[in-house]
C-alpha cells in the first residue's frame, strides 16, 4: 500500500501515474483492490476535492473493468465507517462519486448507495453530508431536472436489464 501511495502522490499527471501503476503491476489481482482503496483514502484526505482522483479512477476503470466493482465495495466499506469519518473526507468522497457517476459514467449511482440505510428517521451527520453533496452536485450539473433523472433511470434500467449489480 505504501508503494501505491507513493506512485499516486508522486505522479506528474494522470497518465504518468496510471503508467507507473501499470508498470509496477498495481492494477492486477489483489493489488488492484488496494490501489482503489488507497486512491479513495488519498482523495478523502485532501483539504478540498481534487479532480485528479476522479480522472485517475476513471482511467483505471477503463483499463481494468473489475475496478468498478472494487470501487463499489470500497464505498460500501466507507459507509460502514461513516460514524467515525470527518465531514471533509465524506464531502470529498461524495464529489468523487459524483465525478465517477456523472462526468465519467463509469459507476452507477444506485448500486453504490444501496447499502446506505435511508429508512432511519435520524440519519447520522456523515450520511446527510454525503447525500446532500452528491445529490446537489447532480442537480446543479444538469440544466433540467429531467436530465438529472437520467442518472437514476440509467441505473435502474441497466440493473433490471443485467439482473445483477456485480459488474457495476
Amino acid at each position: 500500500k505504501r508503494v501505491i501511495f507513493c506512485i499516486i502522490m508522486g505522479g506528474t499527471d494522470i497518465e504518468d501515474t496510471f503508467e507507473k501503476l501499470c508498470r509496477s503491476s498495481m492494477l492486477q489481482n489483489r493489488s488492484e483492490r488496494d490501489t482503489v482503496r488507497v486512491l479513495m483514502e488519498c482523495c478523502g484526505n485532501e483539504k478540498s476535492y481534487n479532480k485528479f482522483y476522479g480522472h485517475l479512477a476513471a482511467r483505471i476503470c477503463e483499463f481494468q473493468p473489475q475496478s468498478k466493482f472494487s470501487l463499489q465495495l470500497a464505498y460500501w466499506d466507507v459507509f460502514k465507517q461513516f460514524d467515525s469519518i470527518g465531514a471533509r473526507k465524506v464531502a470529498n468522497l461524495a464529489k468523487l462519486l459524483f465525478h465517477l457517476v456523472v462526468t465519467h459514467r463509469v459507476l452507477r449511482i444506485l448500486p453504490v448507495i444501496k447499502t446506505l440505510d435511508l429508512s432511519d428517521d435520524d440519519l447520522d451527520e456523515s450520511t446527510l453530508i454525503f447525500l446532500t453533496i452528491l445529490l446537489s452536485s447532480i442537480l446543479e450539473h444538469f440544466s433540467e431536472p429531467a436530465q438529472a433523472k437520467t442518472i437514476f433511470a440509467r441505473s435502474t434500467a441497466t440493473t433490471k436489464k443485467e439482473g445483477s449489480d456485480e459488474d457495476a
Side-chain angles (χ1 to χ4, degrees), residues 2-166:
R2 183 178 294 141
V3 171
I4 297 167
F5 174 80
C6 291
I7 291 171
I8 290 174
M9 299 311 285
T12 56
D13 61 17
I14 293 155
E15 281 306 312
D16 176 58
T17 305
F18 175 74
E19 288 174 18
K20 287 178 180 175
L21 288 169
C22 287
R23 275 190 302 231
S24 59
S25 301
M26 293 300 163
L27 298 178
Q28 297 173 351
N29 305 324
R30 175 85 179 140
S31 296
E32 173 265 334
R33 286 176 268 174
D34 288 338
T35 299
V36 165
R37 292 180 188 285
V38 170
L39 182 145
M40 286 181 64
E41 188 67 29
C42 291
C43 177
N45 289 330
E46 292 282 343
K47 288 187 178 176
S48 62
Y49 177 70
N50 185 340
K51 291 180 182 180
F52 168 83
Y53 298 105
H55 294 300
L56 181 59
R59 182 70 175 95
I60 290 169
C61 289
E62 178 184 298
F63 174 75
Q64 195 72 283
Q66 74 255 27
S67 297
K68 295 175 186 181
F69 191 60
S70 296
L71 277 162
Q72 182 175 316
L73 292 175
Y75 267 102
W76 291 355
D77 289 342
V78 168
F79 296 158
K80 291 176 193 170
Q81 303 167 358
F82 257 4
D83 56 347
S84 64
I85 295 176
R88 182 183 70 213
K89 185 172 188 174
V90 169
N92 286 346
L93 292 176
K95 292 173 185 176
L96 174 65
L97 183 57
F98 163 78
H99 279 100
L100 294 173
V101 169
V102 176
T103 307
H104 299 290
R105 295 190 179 250
V106 295
L107 289 181
R108 295 175 296 145
I109 194 168
L110 294 179
V112 175
I113 66 170
K114 74 180 183 181
T115 60
L116 287 174
D117 183 11
L118 304 178
S119 64
D120 190 358
D121 289 340
D122 189 29
L123 291 175
D124 62 78
E125 184 179 1
S126 294
T127 303
L128 284 174
I129 291 169
F130 182 85
L131 290 172
T132 301
I133 291 172
L134 176 62
L135 297 174
S136 63
S137 297
I138 290 170
L139 292 172
E140 290 171 5
H141 177 77
F142 296 103
S143 56
E144 295 290 324
Q147 293 172 313
K149 188 177 174 184
T150 64
I151 294 300
F152 298 95
R154 180 175 63 97
S155 294
T156 306
T158 308
T159 302
K160 286 179 184 173
K161 210 183 308 175
E162 293 170 355
S164 170
D165 292 332
E166 291 191 358

